[in-house]
Amino acid sequence: MHSWKTAGVGGIPGYATHYERVARGAKYVRNVGYLAVTLDVSMSAMKIREACTAGDESACQAVSYQEGGKLLGSMGGGAIGAGASYGCLAFGVTSAGIGGVACAVIVGGIGAAFGGRVGGGGGEAAAEILRRAIHE
C-alpha cells in the first residue's frame, strides 16, 4: 500500500464494495455452519431415540455409541478441515485482503465439509471399537 501511494496510485476502485460483499457473505456462511451443526446434532439424537424406543437394548447401545462417535468425529474433523483456511493468509496479503477473505471462505468451507465427512467416519468406527471393548 505504501508503494502504491508513493507511486501516485490512490485507492483501489471498488475495493471497499467488494470487500463488504465478501465479508457479508462470510457472515452468512458462518450462520449456515451453525445450522449444519444443529441439524447434525438433531439427526443423531433422532437416530438414537428411534433405536432406543424399539426395545432392543443392544441395538440402542450400538447406535448410541456409533452416533455419538460420528457426531464428535464430524465436529472435530470439520474444525480441523476449516483450519486449512489459514493457508489463505499469504494470498490475502498479496491481494490486498479481499482475495484472502474469499479464499478463506471457499477453502474453509471445503475443508470443513471434507474434514467433517472423514472425521465422522473415523469417529463412528472408533466408537464401535470402544463399545466392543467395554461391553463385549
Side-chain angles (χ1 to χ4, degrees):
M1 291 295 284
H2 175 70
S3 298
W4 292 346
K5 288 180 182 178
T6 57
V9 176
I12 302 170
Y15 174 77
T17 303
H18 292 303
Y19 188 81
E20 180 183 323
R21 287 180 186 164
V22 172
R24 192 177 325 126
K27 288 179 186 177
Y28 290 130
V29 169
R30 182 184 65 206
N31 292 335
V32 168
Y34 292 146
L35 177 64
V37 169
T38 303
L39 290 174
D40 204 15
V41 169
S42 299
M43 289 299 295
S44 292
M46 200 164 46
K47 288 178 184 177
I48 291 169
R49 182 174 178 263
E50 182 180 317
C52 291
T53 56
D56 184 7
E57 183 67 30
S58 64
C60 174
Q61 182 186 81
V63 170
S64 295
Y65 272 88
Q66 289 172 350
E67 287 299 316
K70 183 177 179 182
L71 179 64
L72 289 174
S74 176
M75 292 175 79
I80 292 169
S85 65
Y86 288 115
C88 295
L89 290 175
F91 188 65
V93 170
T94 60
S95 65
I98 192 162
V101 173
C103 177
V105 169
I106 293 168
V107 171
I110 292 171
F114 180 74
R117 175 71 64 152
V118 172
E124 186 175 7
E128 179 61 22
I129 292 169
L130 180 65
R131 184 192 69 80
R132 287 184 183 170
I134 292 173
H135 298 287
E136 290 181 8

